[in-house]
Amino acid sequence: MLGDPEPARDDDQYRIATLRNYRSLMPLAHDARKAMFELKAADGALGSTQKYVQTCYREFRELAENVITLAKERKAAEGAAD
């Protein structure tokens, strides 16, 4: 919640990622009908905004990779328990 301190990373066992607020990319992505991390210069993502798009791509890729890793680990743990 707003104003609450952020939990320490080692105290939050269910955290898989912390993403920035991409509010400047959201309207561009909406108008282009694309994901924020797929925006190009032709969509209005120019200069520093294009760097922001690249950061967004990296962060969402890392999130997806973490979800896949955790799902595989859980599936392996469930298989070992059977």
Side-chain angles (χ1 to χ4, degrees):
M1 296 293 284
L2 226 82
D4 289 347
E6 185 175 327
R9 289 202 179 262
D10 51 337
D11 290 343
D12 193 2
Q13 65 181 353
Y14 298 106
R15 180 189 308 248
I16 56 174
T18 301
L19 299 175
R20 303 167 199 259
N21 181 342
Y22 289 103
R23 104 182 93 208
S24 64
L25 298 181
M26 199 65 75
L28 293 175
H30 179 78
D31 290 345
R33 296 180 183 225
K34 291 183 177 180
M36 293 180 294
F37 48 80
E38 293 180 334
L39 293 169
K40 306 286 185 214
D43 302 317
L46 305 169
S48 63
T49 305
Q50 190 59 46
K51 295 283 185 190
Y52 205 37
V53 169
Q54 293 167 0
T55 300
C56 180
Y57 176 84
R58 282 192 306 273
E59 289 184 355
F60 274 89
R61 181 178 179 94
E62 182 180 332
L63 169 62
E65 289 170 351
N66 287 345
V67 168
I68 291 168
T69 299
L70 291 169
K72 286 179 180 178
E73 289 172 359
R74 181 168 182 151
K75 185 174 183 178
E78 288 175 355
D82 289 339

